[in-house]
Amino acid sequence: MAAPHHYDFVVAGSGGGGLVAAITARMRGLSVLLLEKEALLGGSSAISGGIVWIPDNPVMKREGQRDSVAEAMRYVENFTQDNGHVSPPTRRRAFLEAGPRMVTLLEDCGMQFEYCAEYADYYAHLPGGHQSGRSLQGALFDLNDLGPWKARFRINPSALPVRTSEGRHLFLMKRTLKGAETATRLATRVAKEKVRGTKVVGSGGSLIGRLLQIAIERGVDIRVDAPLTDFVIEDGRVAGVQTVLDGAPAEVRAGHGVLVAAGGFARNAQMRARYQPQPSSVDWTKANPGDTGEAIERMEALGAELACMDQAWWIPTSIPPGIGPVHNVADISKPFGILVDAAGNRFANESASYMEIGHAIYARNATASTMPAWYVMDARHRSHYPWFRTPPGMTPSEWTESGWMKQGRTIEELALACGIDPAGLQATVARFNGFCKTGVDLDYHRGENAYARYFADPTVKPNGNLGPIEKAPFQAIPIWPGDGGTAGGVIADPAARVLRADGTAIDGLYATGNCTAPVYGPHYTGAGCSIGASFVGGYLAAMDAADRAQGAAE
């Protein structure tokens, strides 16, 4: 093997947390090598919704929104009372306090954040919750600005020049004036792209694309096809990594630390079978293909303690023929549909946090024989709303001809087609239809909080999340507990240092993102909770490494 390469700081993983760490370290004067094991950069963040949950951030303050770390701490305490060992108050506070500083640093580097107005915290009704939300998104970004790196960037195949915050209105393109205006605006952007030859993206593409551009401009040394094959240990300290550079095995020394930001294990069937609730499948996830968990196993081999390995960022998911898994958060929140189990019973608030619905699917549908859950709807759902990005009123014939989407002239006929108990479904639909008349869901309180109303149809009264199931033909789509990635891994301290079971830190080793146990516990606090925590963890790791480098120099 050739002589070792030397850098101050080495980052494994090119998603949001890794890029933020690399940029932060460069801003602090460290030399940085960023390694990506795949041929494409961006990780799962690049193909995500691209939202970042950062309480008390300066962007929302500029929009006139009030917030504070104290209020945010009050909010996250609603979910983390049983999570003290994994994420004690000191870790949560460190993340909440660092978030605004991180946003300021990135904006100073050229990052363009926008406030996601009205994207309420998912439990805004709880103490400390924020009714208008604490979430940010990236401004639309032309991937051509990446120059030759565009060919190395992971682009969502269904990417559109649309902000995530505009998506809620697109779902109402046939129902509201704002929805129609948004659809027209999108069509105009697409037409301009064809004329100008641009490749404008929103969501994860815009967020991570601009971060990549900043990292390149700041002089981060970025390598693809460069997996983390092992750690270099010297005097009990992580002193570097073994990897592949330019197609050859290489040793890289890291003078002031190694950060693992390599994602989770959503694409590793063996690890999912070992740790996750069953049934599970790598075919249900939207995580990037490189999300295979080796980095977690290598950190465990060094003595790192693992936690929350049974968790994922669960999202109700359907798998339309020829399309692959798609997330259906907005779809199932709309009126004229309910989520039921094999007995025909509802078991969750269809407008709740998607992670909460995933937990509910596993709690109710705990065996292969009762999977999947079913989203049952009347004819108005398909007529009024898209299903993911399939326009309203345009159901592909393949959906029904393949048997994927079930149909029935009556509720009983639909139930039999799905293998659902007919009497149970008929009783559930009758009860639900009664709730639609009063506007009050006595069973699950659907449509009663600000987050639920974010995806509601305001033209449906008296509750924009409730619409009766009474117009044939009736249809049903199988729903699986898919995910955007797993949500368990090593335990990290407030500086993102990886911890052993005895609470001591593994010197020289940091971790952030889906390879770590979640900061706020097995709950989704608000839009972009996982990406926000990954960003801040990367920032904290880089700041700690830079502080240590400065201390050593002095």
Side-chain angles (χ1 to χ4, degrees):
M1 184 180 292
H5 303 258
H6 291 269
Y7 293 83
D8 293 324
F9 194 58
V10 173
V11 178
S14 65
L19 286 169
V20 169
I23 293 166
T24 303
R26 286 297 297 138
M27 290 294 288
R28 290 291 305 273
L30 303 185
S31 60
V32 181
L33 174 65
L34 187 147
L35 305 171
E36 171 54 57
K37 76 172 185 177
E38 295 285 296
L40 299 175
L41 296 159
S44 296
S45 307
I47 55 176
S48 72
I51 303 295
V52 190
W53 191 76
I54 304 291
D56 197 35
N57 68 74
V59 183
M60 65 185 294
K61 293 294 186 68
R62 292 196 294 267
E63 295 293 326
Q65 294 295 325
R66 293 184 177 182
D67 199 15
S68 67
V69 169
E71 274 299 283
M73 190 71 175
R74 185 171 173 234
Y75 178 60
V76 301
E77 288 297 315
N78 291 302
F79 314 104
T80 50
Q81 296 295 334
D82 58 348
N83 204 38
H85 171 59
V86 175
S87 185
T90 51
R91 185 182 181 214
R92 302 170 214 153
R93 183 168 293 279
F95 272 67
L96 294 173
E97 290 178 345
R101 299 196 300 270
M102 177 206 69
V103 170
T104 297
L105 179 143
L106 292 178
E107 287 192 312
D108 288 345
C109 291
M111 188 62 195
Q112 297 179 23
F113 285 117
E114 297 174 344
Y115 178 52
C116 297
E118 300 179 6
Y119 211 163
D121 286 344
Y122 291 176
Y123 301 89
H125 56 289
L126 295 180
H130 202 288
Q131 295 291 321
S132 292
R134 292 157 161 143
S135 299
L136 305 176
Q137 64 188 353
L140 294 177
F141 179 69
D142 185 357
L143 291 177
N144 290 338
D145 290 345
L146 292 175
W149 287 97
K150 175 185 174 184
R152 291 295 193 180
F153 186 70
R154 186 175 298 282
I155 302 174
N156 190 331
S158 57
L160 293 170
V162 60
R163 298 170 176 85
T164 298
S165 62
E166 293 174 311
R168 61 182 289 215
H169 300 299
L170 282 176
F171 270 85
L172 298 172
M173 62 178 71
K174 290 183 64 175
R175 304 292 290 164
T176 67
L177 177 60
K178 193 160 189 176
E181 290 174 343
T182 303
T184 300
R185 190 160 54 247
L186 174 58
T188 301
R189 287 178 194 157
V190 172
K192 287 181 177 179
E193 278 200 301
K194 293 180 180 179
V195 173
R196 298 171 179 174
T198 56
K199 180 58 179 177
V200 177
V201 293
S203 303
S206 62
L207 182 74
I208 305 304
R210 198 178 301 274
L211 281 178
L212 176 59
Q213 180 189 37
I214 293 169
I216 294 166
E217 291 173 345
R218 295 286 166 173
V220 176
D221 189 352
I222 301 172
R223 307 296 184 93
V224 296
D225 297 314
L228 168 62
T229 57
D230 208 348
F231 294 105
V232 175
I233 308 299
E234 191 173 84
D235 297 327
R237 176 182 180 276
V238 174
V241 299
Q242 300 287 351
T243 186
V244 176
L245 299 180
D246 301 320
E251 180 177 302
V252 180
R253 292 302 181 100
H256 301 293
V258 172
L259 169 69
V260 177
F265 55 96
R267 296 286 183 180
N268 187 318
Q270 290 74 32
M271 290 183 74
R272 296 203 80 139
R274 178 181 178 187
Y275 294 112
Q276 298 263 288
Q278 298 301 312
S280 68
S281 173
V282 296
D283 296 328
W284 302 344
T285 185
K286 288 277 284 182
N288 84 87
D291 202 64
T292 49
E294 299 93 342
I296 294 175
E297 294 179 321
R298 292 193 177 94
M299 289 189 286
E300 183 184 24
L302 294 183
E305 182 179 8
L306 306 185
C308 300
M309 295 291 281
D310 60 336
Q311 295 297 323
W313 304 119
W314 309 113
I315 305 177
T317 298
S318 63
I319 310 176
I323 297 178
V326 297
H327 292 159
N328 302 116
V329 178
D331 308 279
I332 69 171
S333 186
K334 292 290 182 290
F336 312 111
I338 54 174
L339 195 62
V340 301
D341 60 17
N345 297 318
R346 290 177 71 209
F347 57 88
N349 174 356
E350 295 88 347
S351 298
S353 161
Y354 30 90
M355 193 169 183
E356 180 180 326
I357 295 174
H359 286 145
I361 290 176
Y362 270 115
R364 181 60 66 93
N365 297 280
T367 68
S369 62
T370 57
M371 286 279 188
W374 291 91
Y375 190 70
V376 172
M377 50 195 167
D378 87 356
R380 286 169 291 188
H381 195 289
R382 272 283 52 238
S383 173
H384 293 348
Y385 315 116
W387 185 263
F388 185 59
R389 287 180 178 165
T390 302
M394 298 177 61
T395 301
S397 58
E398 184 182 7
W399 289 13
T400 53
E401 292 172 358
S402 68
W404 175 73
M405 174 186 272
K406 308 298 184 183
Q407 295 195 99
R409 291 165 297 179
T410 64
I411 292 296
E412 180 181 17
E413 185 176 298
L414 179 68
L416 292 171
C418 298
I420 298 172
D421 177 65
L425 183 59
Q426 287 175 319
T428 296
V429 167
R431 180 171 175 81
F432 177 77
N433 288 351
F435 297 158
C436 296
K437 292 178 182 178
T438 64
V440 180
D441 176 5
L442 295 177
D443 291 338
Y444 295 101
H445 308 285
R446 181 171 165 184
E448 292 183 12
N449 67 13
Y451 168 65
R453 293 189 291 272
Y454 186 79
F455 290 117
D457 180 349
T459 70
V460 175
K461 306 294 182 181
N463 184 328
N465 293 98
L466 301 180
I469 302 169
E470 55 191 11
K471 185 175 181 180
F474 303 101
Q475 298 164 321
I477 288 175
I479 299 294
W480 305 93
D483 60 74
T486 50
V490 301
I491 297 178
D493 74 0
R497 299 183 303 167
V498 177
L499 300 179
R500 302 182 181 90
D502 63 5
T504 60
I506 299 175
D507 194 16
L509 183 61
Y510 301 88
T512 192
N514 288 355
C515 62
T516 66
V519 178
Y520 307 120
H523 309 275
Y524 223 78
T525 53
C529 170
S530 59
I531 295 179
S534 180
F535 272 38
V536 177
Y539 170 83
L540 287 168
M543 292 294 285
D544 188 73
D547 288 345
R548 290 170 183 270
Q550 183 176 335
E554 294 173 351

